Amino acid sequence: MALALTGTLMSSRRTFLRQCSAVTGGLALSRSRAWAMMHAMATPANTLNLSTLPPFVDALPVPPVARPDGVRSLASSPKTRLPYYRLAARPVECKIHRDLKPTRFWSFGPSVPGPTLELRSGEEVLVEWANQLPSKHFLPIDYRLHGAEGNPEVRLVAHLHGARVPPDSDGYPEDWFVPGKSALYHYPNQQEAAMLWYHDHAMGINRLNVYAGLFGVAIIRDQVEDSLNLPSTKYEVPLTIFDRLITPDAQIYYPISERERAPWVPEVFGDAILVNGKLFPYLEVEPRKYRFRILNAANARFYHLSFQNGLAFQQIGTDQGLLPAPVSCKSLMLAPGERADVVVDFSDARGERIVLKNDSFVVMQFRVAENKVSDGSSLPAQLRPVPKISESEAVKTRLLTLDEYESMVGEPVLLLLNGSYWHDPITEKPALKSTEIWSFINPTDDTHPIHLHAVRFQILDRQRYEPWTYQTKRQFRFLGPRVPPEPCEAGWKDTVRADGKMVTRIIVRFDSYPGRYVWHCHLLEHEDNEMMRPYEIVSAA
Ligand code: C2O
Ligand code: CU
């Protein structure tokens, strides 16, 4: 009965919003980020005071590398034997800090993040994703959200973010399965070296499952990368960064709104920033070059990372692999879902303790050893060519708005892509192997990190525009020049920051597999509240 009631509320709210759209031309402009910050500050009254914890008392853990559990054949070609992995999601208890008792998470391995998948370009593998979770969720489900209405509480589906995968192994949000079930996915790995990551994608509860800990890193390597002699083995370290709110008894806390039947909040920011699952860890390093594979696995927080002593990052790769040449930068900006591949040279910092910060907040510490070492690795001046996709190759340009809707009191209540709900008919149907330009028109104040499954793309530019003219007349009034991507974004991407009051253009070749995929905002609270749409790559025949 309760479900029927919320269902009715949901549809009447939809009708109401649609009517609004018809009147206003589509949008109620939003100040959601500011609102969310205030709200997120106000809600968790009862969180742990992190300043009572001594920093840098835990060594940075590195997640274990997943080992194959044998070989299996592909259902479609029984003769092909492929390495087979089984990753099961289970409740785990992990110590996030020496002085705290263990914290409950859900993970695909013994700790959070789950085990790292080490993959080779062109070498196919099978992964069985298993759900061995309990039947009750420990985070607050909002039953009004699409996918959460009337479905079991605990469901999961795994998506390998950044992978070119046939649609039935991509983790379509509606392909979730319940405890006791599993799904066998086939990863062809026909793509260049890159850092990918796997995470839950279950419709309507994805933000909670990822917050619970259902994610991990996957690394694809290839010969081009091998030939560069970059720092490797123990000198290559993944840094997965994510934030959580922590209760005084050391448990993760997911905030809820003040509306009783609508616990969804627009964005979640935790003050505890974890790196590979530890709070304020330290890493002992030698005075030499290291390669760090950095992933922002937060639900909503953007990281703006820098070293306290001004040490530079040499960025060598983006989401989808190597840049043409290293880009030296003093700070790194990473939106949720984005990755950066960087080399840091500690050789001039012997004996120093260097803090990595997120703006003014401490993230972790590097302890550089005193004694000189020899460093046989290189940082080549040329990495991998990234041939520019010419705009003339595009057969279509799609104009796609990023929409936020607010309640009467100015709270964001719903987010849509191009005014459409998840269940509306599919509108983006690029032809297989065709090239298109997608223009993300963002009238809001928020940056929405937009991710497309199954493909990699290049950023063309961003341009400031005046939203009102576009909303009312569907005409662009630009307020500035087209700004090309930053050098550190000028490689292959799969997630792009579509900044507020800007039109962000990307160019995409849909050269993977035909079938149904999704594109969405990677702020997971937005994604779960309709800021996700199916799209279909259509074969020409
Ligand atoms: Cu990180 Cu739809 O994914
Ligand atoms: Cu968003």
Side-chain angles (χ1 to χ4, degrees), residues 159 161 199 201 451 453 520 522:
H159 166 61
H161 177 133
H199 60 77
H201 222 302
H451 171 47
H453 286 206
H520 59 88
H522 221 289

Side-chain angles (χ1 to χ4, degrees), residues 60-62 233-239 276 283 290-294:
L60 177 83
V62 173
T233 62
K234 67 170 175 164
Y235 306 111
E236 182 191 8
V237 184
L239 301 177
N276 295 352
L283 179 67
Y290 277 74
R291 181 181 185 189
F292 296 111
R293 316 294 299 263
I294 310 177

Side-chain angles (χ1 to χ4, degrees), residues 399-422:
L399 304 180
L400 302 160
T401 54
L402 313 179
D403 313 319
E404 291 183 6
Y405 297 85
E406 292 181 341
S407 69
M408 302 301 195
V409 294
E411 303 163 297
V413 288
L414 174 72
L415 299 109
L416 300 181
L417 293 172
N418 215 29
S420 303
Y421 288 86
W422 167 259

Side-chain angles (χ1 to χ4, degrees), residues 29 63 76 104 107 142 163 186 202 215 222-223 263 288 299 302 315-316 326 341 363 498 506:
L29 292 183
S76 59
R104 172 176 49 174
S107 174
D142 186 330
H186 173 217
F215 58 89
D222 68 10
Q223 281 170 359
R288 52 158 288 155
N299 279 36
F302 290 62
Q315 187 166 348
I316 59 169
D341 191 353
V363 176
I506 61 168

Side-chain angles (χ1 to χ4, degrees), residues 415 447-449 521 523 526 531:
L415 299 109
T447 294
H448 299 275
C521 175
L523 302 183
H526 294 189
M531 209 170 203

Side-chain angles (χ1 to χ4, degrees), residues 35-50:
W35 181 88
M37 299 285 275
M38 272 164 44
H39 191 78
M41 297 296 162
T43 313
N46 206 17
T47 59
L48 186 70
N49 178 1
L50 299 175

